[in-house]
Amino acid sequence: MKATVVTLKKPVKILQVFSKILYYYKDEKSFADRKHKLEWQDAESVNGFVADQQLYLPEQVLAHPALHRCNVITIIDDQTIEPYPWREKEDNNCFVLDVPRPFGDFNLALAEELELHLRHQSLSIQKPSRPAYKVCDLRMGEPVEVKINGKYDHSLFGSPRARVFKEQQYIFHYIGDFTSFQVLKHPVPPIHKCIPENRKLVNLLKPLW
């Protein structure tokens, strides 16, 4: 069967994101108690990839309303072990970065470089308080790992329960600009992805106790 090729109206930047988010309570305050949940593993991905200078994306991206207006498409491979019901899971998104756009507790922005900013007063990281600022530039072929943590009261989400702690790890890898992609029909066969080596680390972890 002939592959379906979609031509985009303008070049888009492809941002590969590996993510790992851990929600925990006071009984896991020791890092040794949760270290194994934060270790990176290679991914078996069905969310898109680049091979031989060709971009491949799953067919569900065709339904994204911003597909032909966007300038950044994310390929997200989430390694979160214990997702919480209020957390929305995304595998791909199409960003129109005419203004900064939210990405979790961050904003993606596009100036001379693709930029990552910390959002101001995110509800999911209430303490310690952090100002909004640019975390780093995301340059092509230069993966960046970002670690950040925080705490908040679970009652914000509708039930008066114990304080929740949140530790996040991301690897952002801007892998290139593309003007077309091949469509991966459902069911998409998984492809093995290695965690990028030689990545820069931005450590935003703070003491929480």
Side-chain angles (χ1 to χ4, degrees):
M1 182 181 295
K2 187 176 180 180
T4 300
V5 178
V6 174
T7 300
L8 298 164
K9 293 183 179 180
K10 59 183 178 181
V12 297
K13 301 180 184 299
I14 300 301
L15 183 62
Q16 169 71 58
V17 182
F18 297 96
S19 61
K20 187 182 285 282
I21 301 175
L22 177 64
Y23 300 89
Y24 63 97
Y25 296 98
K26 195 172 182 179
D27 58 343
E28 285 188 295
K29 69 178 184 179
S30 169
F31 179 71
D33 293 336
R34 60 184 192 277
K35 179 181 178 181
H36 67 286
K37 297 181 180 180
L38 293 166
E39 293 175 347
W40 288 113
Q41 306 292 333
D42 289 350
E44 299 299 323
S45 175
V46 296
N47 302 320
F49 62 94
V50 171
D52 299 324
Q53 299 182 337
Q54 174 65 55
L55 173 63
Y56 297 83
L57 293 174
E59 61 182 339
Q60 60 262 33
V61 79
L62 297 174
H64 199 291
L67 175 62
H68 288 286
R69 297 185 295 110
C70 71
N71 41 25
V72 174
I73 295 178
T74 56
I75 299 175
I76 304 172
D77 290 300
D78 186 8
Q79 297 189 9
T80 298
I81 297 174
E82 299 170 353
Y84 271 43
W86 62 76
R87 179 170 173 259
E88 295 183 5
K89 184 177 183 297
E90 288 187 300
D91 301 319
N92 300 95
N93 205 342
C94 301
F95 289 96
V96 182
L97 294 185
D98 50 352
V99 296
R101 303 290 182 183
F103 184 94
D105 292 303
F106 301 93
N107 279 326
L108 287 174
L110 186 59
E112 293 184 5
E113 303 280 356
L114 184 59
E115 299 175 350
L116 185 72
H117 294 248
L118 188 63
R119 292 173 65 189
H120 179 58
Q121 292 183 337
S122 171
L123 284 178
S124 68
I125 300 183
Q126 290 184 293
K127 298 179 181 179
S129 177
R130 296 175 172 94
Y133 66 94
K134 186 173 83 169
V135 175
C136 62
D137 292 324
L138 301 174
R139 298 187 174 92
M140 188 185 302
E142 300 180 11
V144 178
E145 180 175 4
V146 179
K147 297 183 178 184
I148 189 169
N149 62 346
K151 55 187 175 180
Y152 59 91
D153 292 327
H154 194 284
S155 57
L156 282 171
F157 297 91
S159 58
R161 292 172 57 188
R163 172 164 284 177
V164 177
F165 300 86
K166 183 179 182 182
E167 190 160 342
Q168 303 175 76
Q169 298 180 163
Y170 296 92
I171 296 174
F172 297 93
H173 189 190
Y174 168 25
I175 54 180
D177 296 345
F178 295 85
T179 56
S180 65
F181 64 90
Q182 291 195 28
V183 176
L184 297 170
K185 297 290 187 180
H186 181 79
V188 177
I191 185 168
H192 186 83
K193 293 181 183 177
C194 295
I195 296 298
E197 298 181 356
N198 302 318
R199 57 189 185 267
K200 176 183 176 181
L201 174 62
V202 179
N203 191 342
L204 305 179
L205 297 175
K206 299 282 190 181
L208 300 181
W209 314 99

